Amino acid sequence: SSRNQRLSPQSLHKAKQFAKIFHQYGKLTKEQILAALKELNIYIEYLQVHDNRVFIAVDIDGVRLIDNFELAN
């Protein structure tokens, strides 16, 4: 994403960790995901499930990142 270009090398590392953790939703509970992201000092704007998709928005060092994926049936 073009937003990734605005991230410092340290923030880009956090963004990669964020994506890895977020895409474990279903294997990890919502609470576990939130705790893991908080531990990385990532501010979570929202994390919600709607129409079999998981949506998230976070702030990593002043850059807002969003992601989503479809849950397996």
Side-chain angles (χ1 to χ4, degrees), residues 7-64:
L7 296 170
S8 70
Q10 291 172 331
S11 298
L12 187 57
H13 177 73
K14 283 168 101 174
K16 289 177 183 178
Q17 292 297 102
F18 149 66
K20 183 178 177 181
I21 293 166
F22 173 60
H23 285 272
Q24 291 183 45
Y25 189 97
K27 295 176 186 169
L28 299 176
T29 66
K30 179 178 181 178
E31 292 75 21
Q32 289 172 314
I33 299 237
L34 295 175
L37 294 177
K38 188 174 183 179
E39 190 172 303
L40 292 171
N41 294 316
I42 295 174
Y43 171 76
I44 301 100
E45 187 176 319
Y46 64 81
L47 171 63
Q48 61 187 45
V49 178
H50 181 72
D51 288 339
N52 206 40
R53 291 193 80 78
V54 184
F55 298 88
I56 193 167
V58 299
D59 182 296
I60 297 178
D61 303 329
V63 178
R64 185 173 190 255

